[in-house]
Amino acid sequence: MTSSSRPAPSSPAGPAGRRWTGAAGAWLGLGAAPATLTMGAAMADRHGGAVPIVAVLLGAALMAALLYGQGMLGLGSSRAEGGTLTDVAPTYLSPAARTAVGVLLTLAMIGWNGFNVGLGGASLGTVTSLPEPVGAVLLAAAVLAASYASGRLGNRIAVVTTLAALALVAVCVIRLSPPVLPVTADVRGILPDVAVLVGYVAVFALRAPDFSHGLAGRRDLLVCVALLVVPASLATLAGAGVWLRTGSPDVVATLAGTGDIAAFGNLFVTAAVFAPSLTTTYSGALAIRSVRPGLSRTAAMLTVAVPGTLLAVLRFDLYLLPWLSALAAALPPLVVPMAAEAWHRRRGGAPRMIPVWTWGPAGVTATALALLGVPAASLAGLALALAATALNAFGRRPAAFS
């Protein structure tokens, strides 16, 4: 989703395709992003203590399933054409459905851009003694400039800044180690945690073909999925540990007050948000151009960066859990029928368009439940999408939606 991980020009699947090392930046960048620390701290804050390990494991399993299933759309084969989401969507979705998805993805990318730039801008402001809004604007400008880097250079930028994210996690684990384990075997209240974890990858999962396109095969895709899910799960637990030690869900404020490592910690945060911020700019531009094909690349990126910067100035990053809950409800239902259709085509089946009723009502229902505060909203949306997809596979379409 970033120019840092911009897919190489179309290449066939097989030995000639990219190895996972050529696409690692975007996947690892999201998996080790500072947002995972914030997420873990916020989850611990909601529980008032340790995070249920069952929730983390179940969330990780659902994350992996969504990422792998949708990522398969990017892999070409003798029976199925791979490509970015923009490339393959016309053979899966109607024009009206593509427009709706493009708008949703654009809005989601603007939100994620605001989150990452807001988090990094606050850290940059702390390090430089500048006001937080100024730090956010400076960081947003740097991200936009880096969005023009070549694919290879961009991937290297993502890898380097991701190493900063891993260093941040190490700092938190070593210097802010909790007095007790950050996990519990208690299974009460795990559904909101699972929803948060699913929401964290919801947008990336839907756009996974952008980053799996051109990979040599399924093994490389599996490695990329692991590079996201494993670090994200571990960093979430590290964030829970930060809360247990400090009682604060605000990672930036915590690092700013951590004695001799405050400056280093905030520098790590500033650098670590680069990869996920680049991801939002690149993928958001793809999404808006799928709706407005005539829009230039620069105009498309500004469409994401400008409102994203405004959200960053307003510290949108302080509202992570409600944001993730909304994403977990609205977007994952579409992944289910798309992944099922990709599997159908790879087995030699004739291409079929995906009916809106297999995912639209599920997304609307899940979003409504999330707004009502129902903990199982995102899981209900996935279950409805699974049922509708199975019904469609057997050819029994409800008359009202055919």
Side-chain angles (χ1 to χ4, degrees):
M1 293 165 151
T2 86
S3 72
S4 63
S5 54
R6 190 174 300 122
S10 181
S11 57
R18 290 185 301 163
R19 297 306 308 274
W20 63 268
T21 51
W27 299 82
L28 184 58
L30 185 66
T36 54
L37 289 171
T38 303
M39 182 167 62
M43 288 165 61
D45 185 59
R46 189 180 68 82
H47 284 284
V51 174
I53 186 62
V54 174
V56 176
L57 294 176
L58 181 57
L62 286 174
M63 289 163 67
L66 291 171
L67 291 164
Y68 183 79
Q70 187 76 347
M72 288 292 290
L73 273 71
L75 304 183
S77 72
S78 60
R79 295 178 174 179
E81 293 298 326
T84 66
L85 183 63
T86 301
D87 293 333
V88 303
T91 67
Y92 284 79
L93 301 171
S94 68
R98 295 200 304 273
T99 297
V101 172
V103 170
L104 282 173
L105 283 172
T106 299
L107 294 174
M109 285 302 168
I110 290 172
W112 267 123
N113 184 273
F115 174 88
N116 287 302
V117 175
L119 185 63
S123 293
L124 181 60
T126 299
V127 172
T128 60
S129 298
L130 291 170
E132 288 181 357
V134 175
V137 171
L138 290 175
L139 181 59
V143 168
L144 186 61
S147 297
Y148 288 94
S150 66
R152 178 172 294 183
L153 175 60
N155 190 62
R156 290 175 179 174
I157 291 174
V159 171
V160 170
T161 55
T162 297
L163 292 177
L166 294 174
L168 171 64
V169 174
V171 167
C172 290
V173 170
I174 295 172
R175 300 301 299 272
L176 299 172
S177 57
V180 295
L181 286 176
V183 296
T184 175
D186 193 351
V187 296
R188 290 175 297 178
I190 66 171
L191 292 182
D193 297 332
V194 174
V196 164
L197 289 165
V198 171
Y200 182 68
V201 300
V203 180
F204 191 97
L206 192 55
R207 293 217 69 103
D210 294 350
F211 311 104
S212 62
H213 174 48
L215 287 177
R218 299 182 186 183
R219 289 184 180 180
D220 292 278
L221 176 58
L222 278 172
V223 172
C224 287
V225 170
L227 286 174
L228 193 161
V229 173
V230 175
S233 302
L234 295 177
T236 296
L237 296 179
V242 170
W243 187 92
L244 289 171
R245 176 68 180 269
T246 66
S248 172
D250 189 340
V251 174
V252 173
T254 298
L255 290 173
T258 310
D260 58 333
I261 66 166
F264 292 106
N266 281 287
L267 279 174
F268 285 145
V269 172
T270 303
V273 299
F274 235 86
S277 297
L278 283 168
T279 294
T280 61
T281 305
Y282 170 64
S283 205
L286 284 180
I288 190 63
R289 292 179 77 183
S290 70
V291 178
R292 296 286 303 276
L295 204 63
S296 69
R297 177 184 167 202
T298 296
M301 289 195 296
L302 287 173
T303 301
V304 176
V306 172
T309 302
L310 177 60
L311 288 176
V313 168
L314 297 174
R315 290 304 304 273
F316 185 64
D317 57 292
L318 298 180
Y319 303 95
L320 179 61
L321 293 194
W323 168 242
L324 292 182
S325 296
L327 291 179
L331 295 177
L334 176 56
V335 174
V336 176
M338 290 195 75
E341 175 60 16
W343 180 79
H344 165 77
R345 295 182 187 185
R346 293 183 72 88
R347 290 176 59 86
R352 304 168 302 186
M353 298 296 285
I354 297 173
V356 173
W357 64 264
T358 60
W359 58 274
V364 171
T365 301
T367 302
L369 292 175
L371 292 175
L372 292 173
V374 177
S378 61
L379 299 182
L382 286 172
L384 288 173
L386 281 169
T389 299
L391 188 62
N392 182 57
F394 289 102
R396 294 191 291 268
R397 303 187 177 194
F401 295 100
S402 58

